[in-house]
Amino acid sequence: MIVGIPKEIMSGEARVAATPETVKKFIQDGMTVLVEAGAGVKSFYYDEQYKEAGAEMVSDAEHLYQRAGLILKVKEPLFNDNVGKHEVEMMHKGQYLVTFIHPASPVNHKMVKQLAEQGVIGLTLDSIPRISRAQNMDALTSMSTCAGYKGIIMAADDLSVFMPQMFTAVGMLKPANVLVIGTGVAGLQALATAKRLGAVTYAMDIRPAANEQAKSLGAKIVETGVPEELAVGKGGYAQKLPDGWLAKEREVLAGVLKDMDIVFCSALIPGKVAPILITEEMVESMKNGAVIVDISIDQGGNCAVTPAGKKEMFHNVMVQGIKNIPGLIPTSSTWMFSQNVYNLVKYLSKDGQVVLDLNDEIVRSILVTHNGEIVHEGAREAMGL
């Protein structure tokens, strides 16, 4: 199997799908590794290090896509301005693609259809199941750790007030109030980081176990009243709520948002479009100078006005929809990501070749396109197929 590691082309993306350490592992497993020149520079992994690990450096992205049987990427395929082609156009039938495809997100529907038409076998990292044997492949959890930490740092940077309580010669300034919606891995890391910065922290999640974890970090719990049987799905993830309960959750949020300085949104439903929890009207009710960081934007976002891939001011509130937050701490995030990807490929491979067992829970969960068809349940639901 020839493994191809292209240079990421999303604006601001500094990560890469393999480090010299994982390249060496792939080669020891009997694979050939092609790395596009300069692919690791922004994460401080350099061409000479890849060469020393045994990789073949390739200067032409199109050549890399043509030769490789397995493409490892960080972000979903995009249009490559340097080549003048979409990355999917450079792929070929029977080629495997492992990356964050986010197939349920509306912005990616056209690209997913193109993958199917090209005959590419797409495997998405955002659908790794939460089971013990998949933990070391779970790039979403790794990147969520990065996003939770960095997202709060970004919010603090844009906030118009101090995060901690400040005692000064002219008086005392109260600490910032930080609400984290969705206390999975990212949310818990966000709470811990906000707490370390001196904020008063609040947490809101429809899952009782998630609330217990948030409480253990010192957060005050905003109760939603959603019954556990409706809230908790397979693997402990949140389930999609009926419209009536979603409306009640929004009502609860509307009552607390006006007191918050930072709102960190990370409520996700695996493989599905993220629930809209914050309406534009609710944003308008917030404090002037408040900040919303919506890390759910890859799956559509939790806030109705979140701008995909950038940040904008709405009703005097800064709303951040940066799509590649882990890429802002590229050395740590690349190291974690590359280990996850290596472990997944190792799991899927036999004698140096990828072999998919369609009866395997992990394979079934991550498979997006196969035999020219879109097979991912969440993507099909979102596309109305």
Side-chain angles (χ1 to χ4, degrees):
M1 174 73 74
I2 298 177
V3 180
I5 313 294
K7 186 176 181 179
E8 296 296 320
I9 58 174
M10 176 178 276
S11 177
E13 181 56 75
R15 291 171 292 175
V16 62
T19 61
E21 180 184 347
T22 58
V23 163
K24 195 170 184 178
K25 289 181 179 181
F26 282 125
I27 291 169
Q28 288 171 346
D29 292 342
M31 298 182 181
T32 298
V33 181
L34 311 179
V35 177
E36 186 175 352
V41 169
K42 291 181 181 177
S43 53
F44 302 96
Y45 295 105
Y46 297 99
D47 289 359
E48 284 304 315
Q49 293 173 285
Y50 287 107
K51 286 180 186 175
E52 288 172 12
E56 179 184 337
M57 305 308 296
V58 178
S59 59
D60 183 347
E62 195 162 10
H63 179 65
L64 182 146
Y65 277 100
Q66 287 170 353
R67 286 184 58 193
L70 167 63
I71 296 291
L72 304 181
K73 277 179 52 60
V74 178
K75 300 303 291 185
E76 68 270 20
L78 300 165
F79 189 84
N80 189 321
D81 290 320
N82 293 327
V83 179
K85 289 182 179 180
H86 197 285
E87 287 179 310
V88 176
E89 290 181 74
M90 295 186 274
M91 298 180 191
H92 56 261
K93 185 176 181 180
Q95 189 173 51
Y96 293 91
L97 169 67
V98 173
T99 187
F100 282 119
I101 298 175
H102 299 293
S105 180
V107 72
N108 291 330
H109 289 177
K110 182 179 178 181
M111 176 268 294
V112 171
K113 290 175 183 175
Q114 289 173 327
L115 283 173
E117 289 166 5
Q118 286 285 92
V120 176
I121 303 160
L123 302 160
T124 189
L125 294 166
D126 52 291
S127 293
I128 295 281
R130 184 180 281 180
I131 55 177
S132 58
R133 63 192 175 92
Q135 284 182 340
N136 69 354
M137 314 167 198
D138 192 354
L140 187 61
T141 290
S142 294
M143 296 304 98
S144 293
T145 299
C146 298
Y149 165 79
K150 189 64 174 180
I152 290 295
I153 301 298
M154 289 161 52
D157 193 42
D158 275 343
L159 192 62
S160 62
V161 298
F162 289 117
M163 285 280 276
Q165 182 170 267
M166 299 290 282
F167 295 94
T168 75
V170 291
M172 184 269 286
L173 293 95
K174 292 181 179 180
N177 290 327
V178 176
L179 170 64
V180 173
I181 304 171
T183 52
V185 175
L188 291 173
Q189 186 59 236
L191 284 173
T193 303
K195 194 76 173 176
R196 287 193 291 264
L197 291 174
V200 176
T201 54
Y202 298 79
M204 180 174 174
D205 199 297
I206 60 176
R207 300 165 297 169
N211 285 329
E212 285 301 314
Q213 290 177 306
K215 194 184 293 184
S216 73
L217 292 174
K220 300 176 182 180
I221 304 303
V222 178
E223 297 288 353
T224 64
V226 177
E228 184 173 0
E229 61 270 20
L230 290 178
V232 183
K234 189 176 181 181
Y237 286 105
Q239 289 195 123
K240 183 178 181 179
L241 291 179
D243 290 343
W245 279 105
L246 189 59
K248 289 182 181 180
E249 189 178 2
R250 290 194 190 110
E251 284 178 22
V252 172
L253 256 178
V256 298
L257 281 180
K258 61 183 184 298
D259 298 321
M260 297 300 146
D261 297 287
I262 291 173
V263 180
F264 182 91
C265 302
S266 60
L268 291 172
I269 301 163
K272 301 185 187 296
V273 176
I276 297 292
L277 301 174
I278 301 175
T279 64
E280 184 170 359
E281 184 181 8
M282 290 158 71
V283 174
E284 193 171 4
S285 75
M286 291 177 67
K287 293 180 181 180
N288 293 332
V291 180
I292 296 173
V293 176
D294 191 349
I295 71 161
S296 298
I297 190 60
D298 273 327
Q299 287 176 228
N302 292 143
C303 176
V305 296
T306 303
K310 56 185 178 178
K311 59 183 183 179
E312 285 183 21
M313 194 75 80
F314 291 91
H315 307 294
N316 301 318
V317 174
M318 178 60 76
V319 184
Q320 299 190 15
I322 307 302
K323 293 189 74 173
N324 55 345
I325 295 173
L328 301 176
I329 43 172
T331 303
S332 291
S333 58
T334 285
W335 185 83
M336 295 173 77
F337 181 89
S338 64
Q339 297 292 335
N340 293 138
V341 169
Y342 170 75
N343 290 331
L344 175 60
V345 174
K346 178 82 170 176
Y347 178 81
L348 298 175
S349 300
K350 291 181 181 177
D351 300 323
Q353 296 288 332
V354 173
V355 180
L356 297 184
D357 176 2
L358 299 181
N359 294 316
D360 182 86
E361 181 181 0
I362 296 172
V363 174
R364 287 200 314 271
S365 297
I366 66 176
L367 194 59
V368 176
T369 54
H370 188 246
N371 290 333
E373 300 288 337
I374 298 168
V375 297
H376 187 273
E377 182 183 342
R380 291 183 63 85
E381 179 183 321
M383 293 180 188
L385 298 176

